[in-house]
Amino acid sequence: MLLQLNNVFKTFGGIVAINNLSFEVRNNQILGLIGPNGAGKTTVFNCITGIYKPEKGTIYFDGKNITGLKPHVISKLGIARTFQTIRLFPSMSVAENIMAGRHTKCRQTWFDSLIRTPKYFKDEKENWLKIKYYIDLLKLSEYTTSIVSSLPYGLQRKVEIARALASEPKLLILDEPAAGLNNKETQELVDLIYQIKAMGITILLIEHDMDMMMSLAEYIIVMNFGEKIAEGIPSEIQSNPQVIEAYLGSE
Amino acid sequence: MEIFLQQIVNGLAIGSIYALVAIGYTMVYGVMKLINFAHGDLVALAAYVGLTVLMQAFGMHLSNLWAVILMFTVTAMFISLFGIILERLAYRPLRKAPRLSAVVSALGASLAIENGIMLIWGPNIKVFPSNIFPSTRWHISGVVINSTQIAILLLSIILMIALYIFINRTKIGTAIRASAIDQDAAKLMGINVNGIIIAIFALGSFLGSIGGLFIGIYYRELYFQMGWIYGLNAFIAAIIGGIGNIPGAMLGGMLLGIFNVLIAGYVSNTWSEALTFALLIIILIIKPTGILGERVAEKV
Amino acid sequence: MRKNLVWYILFFTIAVIYPHFVDPSWVDIGTTFALYSVVALSQDIVLGKAGMFDMGHATFFGIGAYTAAILNTVYNIPIIYTIPIAIALSALFGIIISWPIIHLRGDYLLVATIGFNIIFYQALQNNLFGLTGGPNGIFGIGAPVIFGINISSQRAIYYFAWFILLITMLIIYNIDKSKLGRAFHYLRESEIAAESFGVNKRFYKVLAFALGAGVASLAGVIFAVQYAAVSPETFNFTQSVLFFTIVIVGGPSSIPGILLGTFVMFVVPQFFREFATARYFVFGIAMILTMILRPQGIWPAKFGKLPKYLTKES
């Protein structure tokens, strides 16, 4: 068990965003989280990554209680994410953006940075070479020095994933990675996600593209109004009447 | 106790001037997220323009009342127009620029206005005549209130109520509030955001000009750098109340006026600015958005 | 990189021969230019790199100058020893001041830093603890002695100031090309993304203030030496506005931009001394025009300068 949510509860100004949600993610699984808009999926991600603090319930990651820890601490434990609305560092280059993923892996202290100790040089070289690896992996080498805000949407999504991978996470959280991508790009993304799984990384995925979700996810959690309404393997979910009702509305 | 009440009365008079000026900061900030550092100098300019108009009016042998009315109307019109032109020239070209570039533009405008005042009226102190309002005083259980204070308080309260009704009950007011919440959404709803920004600059400058004239009438001494210090106090008032929030600016102004007077009266004159800022910092630490400001959560 | 190096060598070469061709008042301007550049570069760590709206940086400049002045005139400590004390004290102040306000967003932080500057200024004016000398300040500050050389002549101080500028530029350059600088940039560009990738927000923001305060303080010590005196006026809020403007006008997070900014905001007005009355009027309008024409600053920072082994085709 890599990630475990127990009765997580979160409100915003009296409105319940997540109501006693529990689920588990197994090692190296691709787990999908689906639900209509406003079901609270992104809020779940924000609770896991520490951006929000759940009011009740616990979250365990890799055997450690991470409930309410700061995002930077949780990141260090091996959770990386992408954002629903892309959050890159807009005026910086592709390589510098991906380098953010290496922040917790860089060993130089601020003092090494300041006066350039031998450790600094070794550390910089090691980590930049890692960046080169991820740039090549995502076929971004053409754009290494490009400023990210000048790149098309599809490429920005790729940079976000590269940045997340560069942190060598145990768990990768993808928040609607296919949003705004064309068919070809979506297919590339599916291949990439398989590739990431093959690297031994566990994947937690929110996606509105049902075809993609059904083919990709090994297990699916369905949310509506902040609650879990169903879970199971894709074929079970597709035939679940509650899920169909949530998506199509009851008669 | 009487001294204390007297201080409160004095504080309210000063506070209402701060409040009038603070509204200009808060409205501009609410819609444009810009600290209009030139606002204080616009207030100073109003005092100088007002003095000139008043002298001209006296020169034409107008009665006291008519001279004062003329001073208020001409100054208010001139400063409102000035505010609109300032926005057009110094801020609109920077609407899409990094926020701090617009701040520097505002600082430049402030410097230009301040030194423009010096070039026109000279570096020496100018003095407002003392007989603008009748020298009547009222004694109410040991507290002395003069007619200037009454006029300032009354006129400020009337203006603020009028503004409150305008903002909350009229179509333009609603558009201003909508633009403050979300400019892009307001645009999509067909609100002319440019028009709204012109309106808030006109309104803010109008109220600021009244504040500036009150400063002239109440303190009487005008110096070309005075915009900074009054502006800074009014700006603090806006933040204490919760910047972007119009009733907050009024409340903040009154509170700061009373605080300033009490500090000067009971604690120390030489530490007054430091204590004002200490108060501000403490309020910011306890409630970062000011008394009436709401925390806007960032959507992730 | 090569090309930049050539320009920097040219810049410092000119600086080295400059005092031999101008009269003493312009040597002083050259010294102050170097010191103001150091302060502006230190302000830029906080404002340009970490993206925190700091409009009270003259406080730290002043802490340096007053620490040196008080230690030297009251306790007879040689100037050279006051340098590390001043840096440490100012950095400590940077930490203490920024700690409680670091979570404030944008303009609220700006106002809080203005507040600290005004409190500092009034403390100097009011002769706090009987040490600051009130409105007149402190006179008779000595000169540093390094390796037996007494840095007291105008030219010696000039070269010392430029040496400090060189060191500061190297430090800033090192910050930019390292984990430390990248962490600052990430925080400025997107706080949430930065935190989500392990950047400890509070640590780096306070560190930015501490570093900025330390470097500004170093410039303050030399400034006190240059005039052999300190007075509150040089460290008031208007001075902070100047440093703030230098960074934004020049180009945040850009070393050449900030040097240019200091030149434009501090040296250029010196040419127009004769037009004393009108110059600031024109200057204010020039500030507006500069921002309209160059909203990113005169010489904006460029990102994407990466190590060779990363960019070359393999």
Side-chain angles (χ1 to χ4, degrees):
Chain A
M1 208 59 57
L2 186 66
L3 181 76
Q4 193 173 22
L5 278 76
N6 304 309
N7 298 314
V8 170
F9 183 84
K10 173 78 192 165
T11 59
F12 290 110
I15 296 158
V16 179
I18 310 178
N19 195 2
N20 290 326
L21 182 76
S22 305
F23 68 84
E24 293 171 344
V25 188
R26 290 204 311 270
N27 255 318
N28 207 12
Q29 190 179 37
I30 299 179
L31 185 116
L33 193 58
I34 63 170
N37 277 327
K41 300 172 304 260
T42 298
T43 309
V44 175
F45 282 10
N46 284 334
C47 284
I48 298 169
T49 53
I51 293 186
Y52 298 148
K53 219 174 177 162
E55 279 131 72
K56 280 183 237 161
T58 51
I59 302 171
Y60 278 85
F61 175 72
D62 212 11
K64 229 187 131 187
N65 186 351
I66 59 164
T67 326
L69 293 182
K70 288 249 158 56
H72 69 92
V73 180
I74 292 175
S75 152
K76 218 165 278 178
L77 296 173
I79 299 182
R81 71 176 291 181
T82 67
F83 296 86
Q84 191 181 346
T85 49
I86 295 177
R87 277 177 192 273
L88 288 165
F89 308 110
S91 57
M92 300 174 83
S93 66
V94 167
E96 284 162 313
N97 266 274
I98 300 173
M99 192 63 162
R102 301 299 301 167
H103 181 82
T104 56
K105 305 286 184 204
C106 284
R107 300 188 164 284
Q108 53 181 302
T109 65
W110 64 272
F111 197 71
D112 293 318
S113 299
L114 215 56
I115 61 163
R116 300 206 166 186
T117 58
K119 191 170 159 194
Y120 159 86
F121 287 104
K122 189 166 164 277
D123 189 53
E124 283 286 297
K125 181 142 196 183
E126 267 175 28
N127 285 290
W128 280 119
L129 289 176
K130 287 265 186 196
I131 298 309
K132 193 168 171 57
Y133 169 76
Y134 288 102
I135 285 176
D136 292 342
L137 182 72
L138 279 115
K139 303 188 183 66
L140 286 165
S141 51
E142 245 184 280
Y143 308 103
T144 306
T145 57
S146 308
I147 302 304
V148 287
S149 57
S150 68
L151 294 179
Y153 200 78
L155 286 175
Q156 294 197 14
R157 285 253 174 242
K158 268 187 169 180
V159 177
E160 261 208 325
I161 294 174
R163 178 176 66 180
L165 286 178
S167 72
E168 297 173 10
K170 296 191 186 100
L171 173 68
L172 175 63
I173 298 182
L174 300 171
D175 197 345
E176 295 194 27
L181 300 190
N182 60 31
N183 283 343
K184 186 172 157 274
E185 286 170 330
T186 308
Q187 192 47 52
E188 273 178 31
L189 176 70
V190 171
D191 295 342
L192 178 65
I193 292 176
Y194 281 127
Q195 220 178 330
I196 295 168
K197 179 182 157 74
M199 293 159 77
I201 295 170
T202 310
I203 293 158
L204 180 51
L205 178 70
I206 292 180
E207 191 44 68
H208 276 300
D209 184 335
M210 278 307 144
D211 292 339
M212 177 183 163
M213 190 59 119
M214 292 304 163
S215 67
L216 201 56
E218 292 155 10
Y219 198 77
I220 290 176
I221 310 280
V222 188
M223 285 181 73
N224 198 13
F225 297 116
E227 290 178 45
K228 182 169 76 182
I229 57 169
E231 62 179 300
I233 58 170
S235 57
E236 289 170 355
I237 296 299
Q238 269 168 320
S239 56
N240 185 314
Q242 264 187 297
V243 176
I244 294 162
E245 194 190 299
Y247 270 91
L248 302 176
S250 56
E251 291 297 303
Chain B
M1 190 61 195
E2 276 158 18
I3 295 174
F4 180 75
L5 284 177
Q6 182 71 56
Q7 305 273 26
I8 298 285
V9 170
N10 298 345
L12 285 175
I14 299 164
S16 45
I17 297 176
Y18 287 159
L20 286 175
V21 180
I23 290 167
Y25 281 109
T26 228
M27 287 207 301
V28 169
Y29 192 87
V31 175
M32 298 178 71
K33 301 287 171 286
L34 165 73
I35 303 177
N36 178 11
F37 276 109
H39 188 58
D41 299 285
L42 220 58
V43 170
L45 180 65
Y48 275 92
V49 171
L51 180 62
T52 305
V53 173
L54 192 69
M55 287 313 168
Q56 290 294 323
F58 283 153
M60 292 187 291
H61 302 290
L62 284 183
S63 74
N64 228 349
L65 179 69
W66 281 111
V68 170
I69 290 174
L70 192 69
M71 170 180 81
F72 272 94
T73 6
V74 172
T75 309
M77 272 164 37
F78 178 78
I79 297 295
S80 303
L81 191 68
F82 201 99
I84 294 170
I85 294 170
L86 175 71
E87 189 275 326
R88 182 68 193 82
L89 295 182
Y91 303 147
R92 196 179 301 177
L94 288 163
R95 204 105 26 100
K96 299 245 175 329
R99 283 182 57 198
L100 293 181
S101 305
V103 170
V104 166
S105 188
L107 290 166
S110 162
L111 198 64
I113 297 171
E114 188 179 303
N115 286 279
I117 292 175
M118 188 195 69
L119 288 176
I120 296 171
W121 284 279
N124 298 327
I125 289 178
K126 297 266 168 199
V127 181
F128 245 76
S130 60
N131 53 349
I132 295 176
F133 289 109
S135 56
T136 327
R137 289 160 180 274
W138 288 273
H139 295 259
I140 306 164
S141 58
V143 178
V144 186
I145 306 177
N146 61 40
S147 61
T148 309
Q149 286 173 325
I150 295 278
I152 290 174
L153 264 173
L154 273 182
L155 199 53
S156 304
I157 289 168
I158 290 168
L159 282 173
M160 284 189 252
I161 291 171
L163 178 72
Y164 191 78
I165 293 170
F166 177 76
I167 293 290
N168 287 293
R169 297 287 155 81
T170 66
K171 216 174 155 186
I172 302 176
T174 312
I176 290 177
R177 282 183 295 141
S179 309
I181 294 165
D182 189 336
Q183 245 189 62
D184 293 327
K187 231 177 245 162
L188 291 174
M189 294 293 119
I191 292 173
N192 174 0
V193 173
N194 264 339
I196 293 304
I197 290 175
I198 291 171
I200 56 166
F201 267 90
L203 259 175
S205 309
F206 166 73
L207 294 169
S209 73
I210 307 293
L213 292 173
F214 284 158
I215 291 169
I217 294 167
Y218 194 66
Y219 290 100
R220 296 189 49 219
E221 281 187 358
L222 308 184
Y223 47 100
F224 71 100
Q225 311 100 320
M226 68 187 228
W228 258 115
I229 200 65
Y230 289 110
L232 214 51
N233 268 301
F235 180 58
I236 295 171
I239 294 174
I240 289 177
I243 195 148
N245 183 310
I246 291 170
M250 300 176 189
L251 179 71
M254 294 296 181
L255 287 177
L256 190 67
I258 293 170
F259 180 81
N260 274 359
V261 169
L262 291 181
I263 289 291
Y266 290 103
V267 186
S268 149
N269 226 337
T270 52
W271 286 93
S272 62
E273 276 173 45
L275 289 167
T276 305
F277 271 99
L279 171 81
L280 174 75
I281 291 168
I282 290 166
I283 288 179
L284 283 179
I285 291 171
I286 297 168
K287 195 161 186 306
T289 50
I291 299 171
L292 296 183
E294 281 163 33
R295 188 166 181 82
V296 187
E298 193 181 355
K299 192 169 176 342
V300 184
Chain C
M1 177 64 224
R2 275 286 151 68
K3 210 172 128 204
N4 276 350
L5 195 63
V6 172
W7 283 112
Y8 282 127
I9 290 171
L10 187 67
F11 174 68
F12 276 96
T13 314
I14 292 171
V16 167
I17 55 173
Y18 166 85
H20 300 276
F21 292 93
V22 294
D23 61 52
S25 73
W26 280 92
V27 176
D28 257 345
I29 289 169
T31 308
T32 309
F33 167 81
L35 296 177
Y36 277 12
S37 296
V38 172
V39 181
L41 286 167
S42 76
Q43 156 119 45
D44 182 62
I45 299 174
V46 183
L47 177 64
K49 295 187 195 311
M52 292 181 286
F53 298 0
D54 165 19
M55 213 191 251
H57 213 68
T59 313
F60 305 118
F61 186 39
I63 288 173
Y66 269 86
T67 305
I70 293 167
L71 290 178
N72 184 250
T73 58
V74 181
Y75 302 100
N76 289 318
I77 297 172
I79 286 291
I80 200 73
Y81 297 119
T82 69
I83 291 177
I85 303 174
I87 292 175
L89 192 69
S90 180
L92 184 68
F93 251 86
I95 293 168
I96 293 169
I97 287 175
S98 65
W99 193 272
I101 59 169
I102 211 79
H103 64 283
L104 296 177
R105 281 212 198 128
D107 298 315
Y108 292 102
L109 187 74
L110 185 141
V111 175
T113 51
I114 292 176
F116 281 117
N117 198 164
I118 285 179
I119 294 170
F120 175 69
Y121 175 71
Q122 218 155 41
L124 296 182
Q125 283 270 347
N126 291 333
N127 199 4
L128 187 71
F129 309 129
L131 284 173
T132 67
N136 297 326
I138 300 168
F139 300 92
I141 299 157
V145 181
I146 303 167
F147 304 126
I149 306 161
N150 197 349
I151 316 274
S152 61
S153 78
Q154 195 192 25
R155 275 190 196 168
I157 294 171
Y158 171 90
Y159 287 120
F160 192 54
W162 276 84
F163 174 69
I164 298 291
L165 175 60
L166 176 67
I167 301 283
T168 306
M169 282 165 66
L170 285 173
I171 287 175
I172 301 289
Y173 182 79
N174 287 357
I175 290 176
D176 259 342
K177 301 278 173 239
S178 69
K179 178 184 178 182
L180 176 61
R182 286 190 297 267
F184 290 154
H185 290 307
Y186 297 148
L187 282 172
R188 179 197 63 218
E189 298 272 297
S190 169
E191 243 176 52
I192 288 175
E195 277 189 286
S196 299
F197 284 95
V199 178
N200 183 342
K201 185 164 83 175
R202 179 169 287 259
F203 173 79
Y204 279 100
K205 286 187 163 190
V206 171
L207 180 60
F209 261 101
L211 288 173
V215 175
S217 175
L218 171 62
V221 177
I222 317 303
F223 192 78
V225 171
Q226 186 192 355
Y227 293 99
V230 290
S231 69
E233 302 308 322
T234 4
F235 311 108
N236 67 9
F237 162 56
T238 357
Q239 206 66 18
S240 288
V241 172
L242 173 72
F243 296 131
F244 182 92
T245 309
I246 285 173
V247 173
I248 306 298
V249 164
S253 201
S254 148
I255 296 176
I258 286 161
L259 295 174
L260 255 177
T262 315
F263 184 80
V264 169
M265 297 296 299
F266 168 70
V267 181
V268 171
Q270 312 296 331
F271 292 119
F272 300 102
R273 280 224 150 133
E274 307 95 281
F275 313 103
T277 48
R279 69 175 166 152
Y280 283 109
F281 174 73
V282 177
F283 202 55
I285 289 169
M287 274 164 73
I288 300 174
L289 284 177
T290 312
M291 283 344 295
I292 291 173
L293 297 174
R294 304 287 296 173
Q296 314 281 340
I298 303 174
W299 190 318
K302 283 196 186 69
F303 289 96
K305 282 187 198 143
L306 305 166
K308 282 263 156 44
Y309 50 82
L310 197 66
T311 46
K312 73 159 182 265
E313 288 303 312
S314 50

